[in-house]
Amino acid sequence: MADITIHKISKDFANYLNETYNIDCENDPNISIQSYNENTCLARLSKRSPDYVSNYGFFTSYQCNCSKFNGNDLCELHLSKYLENKLTLGKINEEPPEEPFIYDLLGNKTRIYWIQDSPREKLKEYVEDQNEFQRQENYKKKSRGRPPIPKIKYELIDFKKMAEENTLGKLNIELLKTYLKTNNLNIYGKKQLLILRIQDYLINN
């Protein structure tokens, strides 16, 4: 009786086969599903969720998919890092370090946090909401006590004089549009375009 070869594949690859080709590997006696693929480099990679801010939300289950080098457990790149004691996230078949860190391009250590250790406060959406709230609070503080800016009455504006003095830019866009609309001119466009339209109209009338 011939020996049966057991094929070992990663769980991610098993899920891919199931979703793409409807192949159920879990009930195949010739396939052993593992949380990692022992046929490729066993180095754990630093991949993080885009939902978190920098340094937070890193996964423990991402594995290098390069071929092993010269019979080692690692590819050539990660083997060199291992020999330099810089394989800081360890191997995928080992427990992840409790206080992980990586090296940046300058060789400096950067502390990172696994996704299960990343608090809600480090989610991008939460941080952005907090930053927006803080910006609004700062604006309120800066605006507090300032007298309101007086509104310019349209009827009192001398558009011709302001055009000659090149000061139409001091007016807000609503006043410019009101003038254009009153004179049956196009009211659409950016502020500078509206100013040029008014200047052209005043020159020719």
Side-chain angles (χ1 to χ4, degrees):
M1 184 175 177
D3 293 334
I4 298 176
T5 302
I6 303 296
H7 300 281
K8 297 178 179 179
I9 64 173
S10 69
K11 190 170 183 62
D12 288 340
F13 187 54
N15 290 338
Y16 170 78
L17 292 175
N18 188 24
E19 293 171 2
T20 307
Y21 302 104
N22 199 27
I23 298 174
D24 184 8
C25 297
E26 292 188 1
N27 297 316
D28 192 324
N30 298 322
I31 295 177
S32 173
I33 299 175
Q34 301 178 161
S35 60
Y36 62 93
N37 184 357
E38 68 174 18
N39 298 311
T40 63
C41 173
L42 297 182
R44 179 179 286 109
L45 300 182
S46 58
K47 296 286 185 180
R48 70 179 181 87
S49 167
D51 295 333
Y52 284 85
V53 296
S54 180
N55 297 10
Y56 288 85
F58 280 80
F59 299 106
T60 61
S61 57
Y62 271 82
Q63 176 184 356
C64 175
N65 60 4
C66 295
S67 300
K68 294 180 179 181
F69 179 68
N70 284 351
N72 291 283
D73 286 340
L74 305 168
C75 65
E76 187 173 5
L77 172 64
H78 286 111
L79 178 60
S80 65
K81 289 188 175 183
Y82 176 78
L83 295 174
E84 295 173 2
N85 199 29
K86 289 186 177 181
L87 195 69
T88 59
L89 302 184
K91 296 180 181 179
I92 199 73
N93 60 340
E94 300 172 348
E95 288 295 317
E98 292 184 3
E99 296 184 359
F101 68 90
I102 56 177
Y103 288 100
D104 62 20
L105 295 175
L106 299 176
N108 301 313
K109 289 183 179 181
T110 300
R111 177 75 159 90
I112 63 172
Y113 297 85
W114 301 126
I115 193 166
Q116 63 269 22
D117 300 325
S118 299
R120 172 178 172 270
E121 289 79 6
K122 295 301 179 180
L123 284 166
K124 277 185 178 178
E125 184 179 358
Y126 182 89
V127 173
E128 289 170 359
D129 287 345
Q130 288 298 105
N131 289 342
E132 179 60 26
F133 174 78
Q134 193 59 50
R135 279 194 293 269
Q136 292 180 7
E137 287 298 304
N138 291 339
Y139 177 77
K140 289 178 182 177
K141 289 179 181 178
K142 290 180 180 178
S143 302
R144 196 172 295 149
R146 291 183 180 179
I149 299 173
K151 292 183 178 180
I152 303 174
K153 290 187 177 181
Y154 175 80
E155 298 79 9
L156 300 179
I157 300 173
D158 188 339
F159 280 88
K160 187 170 185 179
K161 182 178 180 182
M162 293 190 74
E164 292 172 353
E165 296 174 349
N166 199 27
T167 56
L168 288 172
K170 293 182 178 181
L171 302 177
N172 63 47
I173 199 165
E174 292 304 319
L175 290 171
L176 298 175
K177 285 185 176 182
T178 300
Y179 181 86
L180 291 167
K181 187 175 182 180
T182 302
N183 292 281
N184 297 318
L185 299 172
N186 188 348
I187 65 172
Y188 299 104
K190 293 185 177 180
K191 185 175 182 178
Q192 190 57 39
L193 181 60
L194 302 185
I195 292 172
L196 291 174
R197 199 172 290 150
I198 291 172
Q199 290 174 333
D200 184 64
Y201 174 78
L202 289 169
I203 290 172
N204 295 295
N205 288 278

